[in-house]
Amino acid sequence: MPLVRFSVSIDQELVEAFDSLVEAQGYANRSEAIRDAMRSRLVRQEWEKGDEVAGVITLLYDHHRHGVSEALTEIQHHALAEVISATHVHVDEDNCLEFVAVRGEARAIEKLADRMISLKGVKHGALTATSTGKKLR
Amino acid sequence: MPLVRFSVSIDQELVEAFDSLVEAQGYANRSEAIRDAMRSRLVRQEWEKGDEVAGVITLLYDHHRHGVSEALTEIQHHALAEVISATHVHVDEDNCLEFVAVRGEARAIEKLADRMISLKGVKHGALTATSTGKKLR
Amino acid sequence: MPLVRFSVSIDQELVEAFDSLVEAQGYANRSEAIRDAMRSRLVRQEWEKGDEVAGVITLLYDHHRHGVSEALTEIQHHALAEVISATHVHVDEDNCLEFVAVRGEARAIEKLADRMISLKGVKHGALTATSTGKKLR
Amino acid sequence: MPLVRFSVSIDQELVEAFDSLVEAQGYANRSEAIRDAMRSRLVRQEWEKGDEVAGVITLLYDHHRHGVSEALTEIQHHALAEVISATHVHVDEDNCLEFVAVRGEARAIEKLADRMISLKGVKHGALTATSTGKKLR
C-alpha cells in the first residue's frame, strides 16, 4: 500500500515533551506514536458515527450464581451475527472472567453489551471499543 | 454469604427516572442496577489505589506487518506472572484482534499494556479495567 | 417533593467495601453515595439519548496567538442559544483558561465544542457533560 | 519560540481517513489536528504523573438544599492555594451550576473534587482535566 510523506511544523517545546512521552511508553519512534494518536481519534469517530466496529465485552461473574452462565450463553446464541468468540478464564473458585469478541454496527454492539452487563450475577462488565481495522492502516 | 438489608430514601422523581433506565437497559430490578453502580465505583477505586486487579488488553494489528505477532508473543512470555490467556480472532485477510487476559498490580498491568499498544504494527489498543472479583460480591 | 423509601438486599462484603469508599471520598452516608451513583448513570443516559443537557467547554490557549480570542468570541456570539456564560482565567503571562457554560441539545453542544477545540491556537480543550438538573432530583 | 520541521511517512489510507476527520471537526489543517492529538496525550500524562495541572470542577446543585452553597464556599476558602475562581450559573429556579477553576498537584486537585462532589445536595459533579499550558506549546 502506498505511503504518503508529508512534513509538520511543531514548536520545539511540544516536540521535546512528546519525545519524552514516546520514550516513556516504549514507542519505536515519534512517527509511530503520531500514527497511533491519529488512529485513536478515528476509532472514536467510527463508534460515534455508528459504523461497523469491533469490540470486546468483558464480564466478571460468579459461576455459582444460578443461571448466569446459561443466560450468557443464551444471549450469545441469539446474537450470532455479532458474536465472534468467547474466552472463559477461571480467576478463582468463584470468579470467572468472560471476554466476548464482537463485531457489527456500533449501536447494536452497545445494546448487546448492555443486556449482558445488566444480567443478575454479572458483577462487573465493560465494553471496549476498537475497530475492524478495515479503514485503519 | 450473609445479606444485609437496609433502606434508602430517595426523591420520587429520581427513583422514577432511574426506574426507566433500569427497564431500558434490561436489569431484572432496581436493586440489581444499584448493586451494579456500587460495584463500578469499587472497580475504579481498585485501579486508582493500585490493588491487584484484572483486565483485558485488546490489540488490533495487521499480521502481515513483519515481526508484530512475534513481538507480542515475546512480551507475553516475559510477563507470565500477569498474562492469563490470549485469544486470537481473524477479522479479515489482514486484520487480527488479540485479547490478552491479565491480572496483577494495577500499575504493572498498565505498563504491560503500554508496551504492547506502542508496538509498531499494532494499529489500535486498549486496556479494559475490571476486577478479580475477590472483594466484589 | 415526595420521598420514596425502599429497601435493598446486598451481600455483606459488597456493603462493607462500599462503606469504606463512602468514608474515603467523604460522603455523609451510604444513601448519599448511592443517590450519586444513580444520578451519574442518568446524566450519561441524557447525553446518549441527545436530550437537553448542560456542560462546560474548557479551553486552554495562548492569548499571544493571533486571532484566537477573537475567533472564540465570534463562535460564541453565533451560538447565543447555547452559550450561558464564559469565564476567563489568566494562568500565566501566556496561557489562558476559558470555561464556557453551555446548555442545549447534546449533539449541538458536541458540535460547538468540536469547533472551539479545533481552533488554531487552542492548545487543549475538553467538553464536560452534566445535566440541567430538571429530571434529576 | 523555535519551530521544528520534520516529516512523517503514513499509509495513504490512514492519511485519507484522518483528513476527512480533520474536515468534519473543522480543523484548519492536518498539522493542527496532529498537534492537538499530541497535546491530548501529554495532558493525560501530566495527570498520571501527578504534575502541576489545571482543571475545572463542575457542580450541579439545588440551591434550596439547606447548607450546600455555604459548604461549597467553606471548602473553597480552605483550598485557596488551589482554587482560582468560581463561576455560578442559574439554570432555573432550583438548579445551579458552579464551575470552580483549579490549579495544583494532580492528586490534591482530585481530592478537592471528591470532597465537593460528595457533598449532600450536589446532584452531579465532574472533574475536567487540563493543563497549565507551561510545558505545552
Side-chain angles (χ1 to χ4, degrees):
Chain A
M1 69 211 106
L3 281 179
V4 175
R5 196 168 179 82
F6 60 93
S7 66
V8 208
S9 293
I10 297 187
D11 291 307
Q12 194 182 316
E13 285 176 86
L14 176 57
V15 175
E16 282 168 9
F18 193 71
D19 282 351
S20 70
L21 178 149
V22 165
E23 210 196 308
Q25 301 228 341
Y27 281 102
N29 52 52
R30 192 195 291 156
S31 288
E32 182 55 24
I34 288 177
R35 281 191 291 263
D36 242 33
M38 290 166 74
R39 287 183 296 234
S40 290
R41 295 242 158 167
L42 288 169
V43 171
R44 216 164 63 199
Q45 201 195 29
E46 285 182 358
W47 280 82
E48 283 168 5
K49 285 172 66 183
D51 288 357
E52 201 210 8
V53 295
V56 206
I57 303 171
T58 301
L59 303 156
L60 172 73
Y61 63 92
D62 182 338
H63 68 96
H64 293 122
R65 283 289 170 117
H66 185 67
V68 58
S69 53
E70 290 80 0
L72 285 173
T73 307
E74 186 71 18
I75 293 176
Q76 292 180 44
H77 277 272
H78 282 90
L80 288 180
E82 279 90 18
V83 174
I84 310 174
S85 74
T87 307
H88 188 101
V89 169
H90 305 286
V91 180
D92 58 26
E93 283 157 42
D94 305 311
N95 294 291
C96 302
L97 272 173
E98 193 153 319
F99 309 114
V100 186
V102 286
R103 168 199 197 152
E105 284 181 21
R107 295 298 89 80
I109 297 296
E110 284 167 351
K111 278 211 159 176
L112 181 61
D114 274 351
R115 280 185 61 209
M116 295 205 226
I117 292 168
S118 60
L119 268 187
K120 199 163 176 159
V122 172
K123 293 178 175 189
H124 185 250
L127 170 60
T128 308
T130 184
S131 163
T132 62
K134 287 192 180 170
K135 297 181 194 152
L136 217 71
R137 290 294 147 182
Chain B
M1 69 212 107
L3 282 177
V4 175
R5 197 170 179 81
F6 61 94
S7 66
V8 208
S9 292
I10 296 187
D11 290 307
Q12 195 183 315
E13 285 175 85
L14 176 56
V15 175
E16 283 168 8
F18 194 72
D19 282 352
S20 70
L21 177 149
V22 165
E23 211 196 307
Q25 302 228 338
Y27 281 103
N29 52 52
R30 191 196 292 155
S31 287
E32 182 56 23
I34 288 177
R35 281 192 290 265
D36 242 34
M38 290 166 73
R39 285 184 296 235
S40 291
R41 295 241 158 168
L42 288 169
V43 170
R44 217 165 62 197
Q45 201 195 29
E46 286 182 358
W47 280 81
E48 283 169 4
K49 285 170 66 182
D51 289 356
E52 199 210 8
V53 295
V56 204
I57 303 170
T58 300
L59 302 156
L60 172 74
Y61 63 92
D62 183 339
H63 68 96
H64 294 122
R65 283 289 170 116
H66 185 66
V68 59
S69 53
E70 291 80 359
L72 285 173
T73 306
E74 186 72 17
I75 292 176
Q76 292 179 45
H77 277 273
H78 281 91
L80 289 179
E82 280 89 19
V83 174
I84 310 175
S85 74
T87 306
H88 188 101
V89 169
H90 305 287
V91 180
D92 58 25
E93 282 157 42
D94 304 311
N95 293 290
C96 303
L97 271 173
E98 191 153 319
F99 309 115
V100 186
V102 285
R103 168 199 198 152
E105 284 181 22
R107 295 298 89 79
I109 297 297
E110 285 167 351
K111 279 210 157 177
L112 181 61
D114 274 351
R115 280 184 59 208
M116 296 207 225
I117 293 168
S118 61
L119 267 186
K120 198 162 177 162
V122 172
K123 293 178 175 188
H124 185 250
L127 170 60
T128 308
T130 184
S131 164
T132 61
K134 288 195 178 166
K135 296 180 195 154
L136 218 72
R137 289 293 148 182
Chain C
M1 68 211 108
L3 281 179
V4 175
R5 197 168 178 82
F6 61 93
S7 67
V8 208
S9 293
I10 296 187
D11 291 307
Q12 196 183 315
E13 285 174 86
L14 176 57
V15 174
E16 282 168 9
F18 194 71
D19 282 352
S20 71
L21 178 148
V22 165
E23 210 196 308
Q25 301 228 341
Y27 281 103
N29 52 52
R30 190 197 292 157
S31 288
E32 182 55 23
I34 288 176
R35 281 191 291 265
D36 242 35
M38 290 167 72
R39 285 183 297 235
S40 290
R41 295 240 158 168
L42 288 168
V43 171
R44 216 165 61 198
Q45 201 196 30
E46 285 181 0
W47 279 82
E48 283 169 5
K49 285 172 64 184
D51 289 356
E52 200 209 8
V53 295
V56 205
I57 303 170
T58 300
L59 303 156
L60 172 73
Y61 63 93
D62 183 338
H63 68 97
H64 294 123
R65 284 288 170 119
H66 185 67
V68 58
S69 53
E70 291 79 0
L72 285 174
T73 306
E74 187 71 18
I75 292 177
Q76 292 179 45
H77 277 272
H78 281 90
L80 288 179
E82 280 88 20
V83 174
I84 310 174
S85 74
T87 307
H88 188 101
V89 169
H90 306 286
V91 181
D92 58 25
E93 282 156 44
D94 305 310
N95 293 290
C96 302
L97 271 173
E98 192 152 319
F99 309 114
V100 186
V102 287
R103 168 199 196 152
E105 285 180 21
R107 295 298 88 80
I109 298 297
E110 285 168 350
K111 278 210 158 178
L112 181 60
D114 274 351
R115 280 185 60 209
M116 294 207 227
I117 293 169
S118 61
L119 268 185
K120 199 163 177 160
V122 171
K123 293 179 176 188
H124 185 249
L127 169 60
T128 307
T130 184
S131 163
T132 61
K134 288 194 178 166
K135 296 180 196 153
L136 217 73
R137 289 294 150 183
Chain D
M1 69 211 109
L3 281 178
V4 176
R5 197 169 178 81
F6 60 94
S7 66
V8 209
S9 293
I10 296 187
D11 291 307
Q12 195 182 315
E13 286 177 83
L14 176 57
V15 174
E16 283 167 8
F18 193 71
D19 281 351
S20 71
L21 178 149
V22 165
E23 209 195 309
Q25 301 227 342
Y27 281 102
N29 52 52
R30 191 196 292 156
S31 288
E32 182 55 24
I34 288 176
R35 281 191 291 265
D36 242 34
M38 290 167 73
R39 285 183 296 234
S40 289
R41 295 242 157 166
L42 288 168
V43 170
R44 216 165 62 199
Q45 200 195 31
E46 285 183 358
W47 280 81
E48 283 168 6
K49 284 172 65 183
D51 288 357
E52 201 209 9
V53 294
V56 205
I57 303 170
T58 300
L59 302 156
L60 171 73
Y61 64 92
D62 183 338
H63 68 97
H64 293 122
R65 283 288 169 118
H66 184 68
V68 59
S69 53
E70 291 80 358
L72 285 174
T73 307
E74 186 72 18
I75 292 176
Q76 292 178 45
H77 278 272
H78 281 90
L80 289 179
E82 280 89 19
V83 174
I84 310 175
S85 74
T87 308
H88 187 101
V89 169
H90 305 286
V91 180
D92 59 25
E93 282 157 42
D94 305 310
N95 294 290
C96 302
L97 273 173
E98 192 152 319
F99 309 114
V100 185
V102 286
R103 169 199 198 152
E105 284 180 22
R107 295 299 88 79
I109 297 297
E110 284 167 350
K111 279 211 158 177
L112 182 60
D114 274 351
R115 280 184 61 208
M116 294 206 226
I117 293 168
S118 60
L119 266 186
K120 199 165 177 159
V122 172
K123 293 177 174 189
H124 185 250
L127 170 60
T128 307
T130 184
S131 163
T132 61
K134 288 192 177 167
K135 297 180 197 153
L136 218 72
R137 289 294 148 182

